[in-house]
Amino acid sequence: MSQAVGKNTETENCISSGSIGSSLKQSPHPAQSHEAKLLNGSLASHQQQQQQQQQPRTNGLTHAAASSAAASSGFGSAVSGSGSSGISPAAAMAGILSGAGASTALPLPHNSNGLQSPYEPYRADDSSYVPVGQFFAGRSVFITGGTGFMGKVLVEKLLRSCPDIRNIYLLIRPKRGQEVSTRLTELLNAPLFESLRREKPKELSKVIPISGDITSEELGISEKDQNLLCRNVSIVFHSAATVKFDEKLKLSVTINMLGTKRLVELCHRMLSLDALIHVSTAYCNCDRTDVNEVIYAPPYNPDDIISLINWLPEDILDQLTPRLIGKRPNTYTFTKALAEHMLLKEAGNLPVAIVRPSIVTASLNEPFAGWVDNFNGPTGLVSALAKGMFRTMMCEKNYVADMVPVDIVINLMIAAAWRTATHKSNNLLIYNCCTGQRNPLIWSEFVKYAMCSVRKHPLEGCLWYPTGELRMNRPMNTLNCIVKHFLPAYIVDGVARLMGKKPFVVNVQNKIAKAVECLEYFATRQWRFKDDNVHALLHTLSPKDREIFVFDVRHIHWDKYVERYVLGFREFLFKQRPESLPDSRKRMVRLYYLHQLTKLVAVLLTWRFLMSRSKRLNDMWSAFLDNALKMARLIPFL
């Protein structure tokens, strides 16, 4: 959900642990001292028993924040069932449900700009510079989430811009009785890969499916395939995640946290791993207004949350979820924040970097402008606006709408992998991939551009003329939802029933309302995502690599981008060809006049109703008309 700054909504510096109960609070003990060291940047190997000596890994957190995090890191051994606390799981659960504990907040780290490896700008005379495309030559890459929105673009970009890449292994889950090979064939036959199929068909044979499941032990990968990956893979992109905002906590933890942990365990076995790129989200720290490129202390110990979902019944866990996530709006941002801390703790000496995109939207340029394959985020709402079914929303119009095109994110991920592999560092670097600092777009501008574009390039079968307004008055917004969304929906569905057709508009409006509810948190708040690492990385690339792997958001022209965005979902989501635009525009003109006529009739009926109910108003209106007629008679003599 991009940016120009109005009033800032200040949030707390960190998440409160909530009134979870006294059993959630821990006094410091040796295990927590180790946790404090982890937060301060010192990492032992993920196999602690090996006692391997490594260089400390830093992430920008101060010791004070780390110690505070350790002191209030969640359930501790009470949840995990260790004997040090002497509290049974039943007692811990009773404390959680009682909600008796005092909330604690973690302090904002001092000087939390991150401990970065030095970025030296590109020099033409640097003979050691390895172009990004050349760096991937002969290498094999492993991708999780490769069948998702971002994963598809990543695969296509690697094949097209890194032609000498050896293999791309995709983790694919068998689905609805389909084998992974069948799913891969469907993936590569998508419109996204059309240019590759036409110009470089042999490149597609480099994509190899790996049967697995991110929710299973060892990622559901067979021992044979695990050995294959460990021998051959040198770059890993981890983008698999559940992005549903209303996902159950158990499944969200399983995918976003346990999936990450299992992948890291596999990466530790890889013989020649040079880079692991973890895709997080800029909103994982949405409990604070200013978000630097560091890992912040989490509200709970991730291992304790994992233990909790393993022994708590799911219905009790659902009741407990609001208390656990605290001031975060959903389980997605909550588990993504914990996954980052888990990665810091488990990575050991692995070469790791984290990319945090904001709201990922349709492509800017690659493989072609406007490509999108889902209705998530703003796409669904703009689509509903284009259909004439969405007219009002709670949103602060002067706040930044931090959107970033998907190809910008992918290019940054590839460049981050190149940098991580070619410049070894003890710092776990984070890249906030956002637009708000360098090229802000505010919500009112986004809606203006979208409104203009959906009228200029209307959808076939548009139900009404697209209009809409952003509001911060909740009662007024609710009234408009009833009058403009649900009342027409019930009328249309009633007519459909009388005609013997299946009603659907009310159901669609319910889905829109649910989507709006999920996005409202992000549309009524504003964040400042610092992107210094991204800006510094950009200047380490050669001019040619900057042209090939574009992630400089300053080059985005938002009005043109939104227009291509609308054309993109028209073609790729609604499957409507450009040839249908002339007829759709004629229909839009008719809808415009019908919309204006409806407003005029509504005003006249309202006025007539008021006149019939008030004699005084009727007399005032008659006097006004008499005076107007008298003035009209004098006009010829003026």
Side-chain angles (χ1 to χ4, degrees):
M1 316 148 206
S2 296
Q3 304 96 323
V5 182
K7 296 184 299 181
N8 292 331
T9 302
E10 291 295 329
T11 58
E12 306 232 349
N13 282 339
C14 48
I15 290 188
S16 166
S17 61
S19 53
I20 305 298
S22 57
S23 64
L24 304 187
K25 298 177 65 179
Q26 278 188 301
S27 58
H29 53 63
Q32 289 171 330
S33 298
H34 176 64
E35 179 71 5
K37 291 179 181 178
L38 293 175
L39 283 170
N40 196 38
S42 295
L43 284 175
S45 171
H46 81 299
Q47 298 291 344
Q48 186 177 359
Q49 66 271 21
Q50 295 180 2
Q51 296 297 319
Q52 295 178 348
Q53 296 299 321
Q54 300 176 22
Q55 295 293 325
R57 183 181 292 276
T58 55
N59 73 94
L61 281 178
T62 65
H63 181 73
S67 299
S68 175
S72 61
S73 60
F75 319 116
S77 51
V79 172
S80 60
S82 64
S84 59
S85 68
I87 301 177
S88 67
M93 183 169 65
I96 292 169
L97 296 179
S98 68
S103 63
T104 57
L106 308 180
L108 181 68
H110 300 294
N111 301 323
S112 56
N113 290 325
L115 301 177
Q116 307 167 359
S117 60
Y119 287 96
E120 295 184 2
Y122 169 77
R123 301 192 321 272
D125 60 350
D126 184 2
S127 59
S128 65
Y129 182 85
V130 179
V132 177
Q134 182 180 329
F135 162 77
F136 280 92
R139 292 180 178 272
S140 292
V141 174
F142 179 48
I143 301 175
T144 69
T147 58
F149 177 45
M150 291 177 57
K152 294 174 185 175
V153 182
L154 175 59
V155 172
E156 196 277 340
K157 178 65 176 181
L158 287 172
L159 291 175
R160 181 164 45 84
S161 299
C162 306
D164 295 322
I165 196 170
R166 184 179 176 186
N167 285 310
I168 298 176
Y169 298 101
L170 286 189
L171 183 68
I172 301 179
R173 176 171 59 92
K175 192 175 182 180
R176 293 190 291 268
Q178 287 184 319
E179 295 295 328
V180 294
S181 57
T182 305
R183 291 196 65 195
L184 178 63
T185 301
E186 289 182 358
L187 172 69
L188 298 180
N189 284 331
L192 183 69
F193 296 91
E194 182 178 349
S195 62
L196 278 173
R197 290 196 302 269
R198 184 176 61 252
E199 299 169 9
K200 302 178 181 179
K202 292 184 179 180
E203 295 295 312
L204 299 177
S205 63
K206 296 179 179 179
V207 184
I208 300 173
I210 298 293
S211 180
D213 187 344
I214 199 74
T215 64
S216 302
E217 291 290 337
E218 298 184 337
L219 303 178
I221 303 175
S222 68
E223 184 177 352
K224 178 182 177 182
D225 284 343
Q226 287 185 45
N227 293 333
L228 175 70
L229 296 174
C230 292
R231 287 194 309 268
N232 297 324
V233 170
S234 59
I235 305 293
V236 175
F237 293 98
H238 178 43
S239 63
T242 173
V243 297
K244 289 179 63 177
F245 285 172
D246 57 349
E247 189 68 85
K248 297 278 189 180
L249 181 61
K250 187 179 183 70
L251 183 56
S252 190
V253 168
T254 301
I255 296 176
N256 295 344
M257 295 175 61
L258 271 174
T260 300
K261 187 173 185 178
R262 291 161 179 162
L263 178 67
V264 171
E265 291 171 354
L266 177 63
C267 288
H268 274 289
R269 295 170 48 201
M270 293 182 178
L271 302 179
S272 56
L273 183 69
D274 286 324
L276 164 60
I277 305 301
H278 172 74
V279 181
S280 184
T281 172
Y283 295 99
C284 66
N285 297 298
C286 59
D287 56 309
R288 57 180 70 238
T289 303
D290 293 285
V291 181
N292 293 312
E293 292 172 305
V294 299
I295 297 177
Y296 292 98
Y300 305 111
N301 187 325
D303 290 331
D304 295 337
I305 296 295
I306 292 173
S307 298
L308 184 70
I309 68 162
N310 287 334
W311 60 262
L312 259 186
E314 190 161 1
D315 57 339
I316 300 298
L317 194 59
D318 291 342
Q319 297 176 23
L320 188 60
T321 296
R323 301 183 190 177
L324 290 175
I325 66 177
K327 294 180 180 178
R328 286 180 170 85
N330 49 55
T331 58
Y332 172 66
T333 57
F334 176 71
T335 55
K336 278 295 191 179
L338 292 174
E340 285 192 2
H341 178 248
M342 175 181 289
L343 185 62
L344 175 68
K345 188 172 79 169
E346 300 287 339
N349 61 347
L350 294 178
V352 181
I354 297 174
V355 174
R356 291 177 182 159
S358 51
I359 304 167
V360 182
T361 50
S363 61
L364 177 65
N365 294 309
E366 298 178 285
F368 29 76
W371 184 81
V372 64
D373 74 342
N374 63 79
F375 287 98
N376 295 338
T379 306
L381 299 185
V382 177
S383 300
L385 172 71
K387 276 286 188 180
M389 301 177 69
F390 181 59
R391 299 177 177 280
T392 182
M393 176 181 176
M394 285 289 293
C395 177
E396 176 48 71
K397 62 183 180 180
N398 292 320
Y399 279 179
V400 170
D402 207 310
M403 303 178 192
V404 58
V406 62
D407 48 335
I408 294 285
V409 183
I410 296 307
N411 288 331
L412 174 60
M413 288 168 57
I414 294 172
W418 165 82
R419 177 73 188 187
T420 303
T422 56
H423 294 77
K424 302 299 181 183
S425 170
N426 295 321
N427 299 337
L428 193 160
L429 291 176
I430 295 100
Y431 300 93
N432 286 342
C433 186
C434 309
T435 56
Q437 296 297 304
R438 311 280 174 180
N439 189 4
L441 171 74
I442 60 174
W443 284 108
S444 60
E445 291 176 336
F446 174 70
V447 171
K448 181 181 70 173
Y449 296 148
M451 199 80 71
C452 179
S453 297
V454 298
R455 292 169 180 172
K456 182 179 178 181
H457 310 290
L459 295 175
E460 299 173 25
C462 185
L463 298 177
W464 200 255
Y465 187 72
T467 62
E469 189 172 345
L470 304 176
R471 311 173 193 275
M472 282 300 288
N473 185 315
R474 188 171 295 278
M476 184 61 67
N477 184 69
T478 301
L479 178 62
N480 275 270
C481 280
I482 294 172
V483 173
K484 297 181 178 179
H485 291 175
F486 286 98
L487 183 59
Y490 278 104
I491 292 173
V492 171
D493 278 0
V495 173
R497 287 189 176 93
L498 292 175
M499 297 176 63
K501 296 182 179 180
K502 184 178 180 181
F504 69 95
V505 183
V506 173
N507 185 41
V508 171
Q509 285 294 353
N510 287 329
K511 292 181 178 179
I512 292 173
K514 187 175 182 180
V516 170
E517 183 182 357
C518 291
L519 294 176
E520 183 180 303
Y521 178 92
F522 303 95
T524 55
R525 290 164 176 80
Q526 182 167 260
W527 294 266
R528 289 182 292 272
F529 300 113
K530 305 298 177 62
D531 61 351
D532 296 337
N533 284 349
V534 176
H535 194 61
L537 176 60
L538 175 67
H539 288 88
T540 65
L541 295 176
S542 68
K544 184 176 180 180
D545 275 341
R546 290 184 211 176
E547 292 178 3
I548 298 173
F549 301 94
V550 178
F551 57 91
D552 188 349
V553 299
R554 294 172 298 181
H555 296 159
I556 301 174
H557 299 285
W558 288 114
D559 53 345
K560 296 178 181 177
Y561 170 74
V562 174
E563 182 176 3
R564 291 193 294 261
Y565 189 179
V566 168
L567 286 170
F569 71 65
R570 187 184 191 277
E571 179 176 356
F572 302 114
L573 295 181
F574 289 93
K575 311 299 181 184
Q576 298 177 7
R577 304 302 300 172
E579 293 78 14
S580 68
L581 277 172
D583 289 339
S584 297
R585 287 172 180 146
K586 291 178 183 178
R587 178 182 175 85
M588 182 60 63
V589 172
R590 293 194 295 269
L591 288 174
Y592 169 76
Y593 286 113
L594 180 60
H595 175 66
Q596 300 301 331
L597 179 61
T598 303
K599 289 196 297 183
L600 178 61
V601 170
V603 169
L604 292 176
L605 289 176
T606 302
W607 182 249
R608 179 63 182 168
F609 173 79
L610 294 175
M611 294 264 299
S612 65
R613 296 284 175 161
S614 173
K615 185 177 184 304
R616 184 178 179 184
L617 187 62
N618 202 344
D619 293 341
M620 291 175 60
W621 178 244
S622 298
F624 171 78
L625 289 179
D626 288 342
N627 291 329
L629 289 172
K630 289 177 182 179
M631 292 294 295
R633 292 191 191 103
L634 295 175
I635 289 177
F637 304 100
L638 292 179

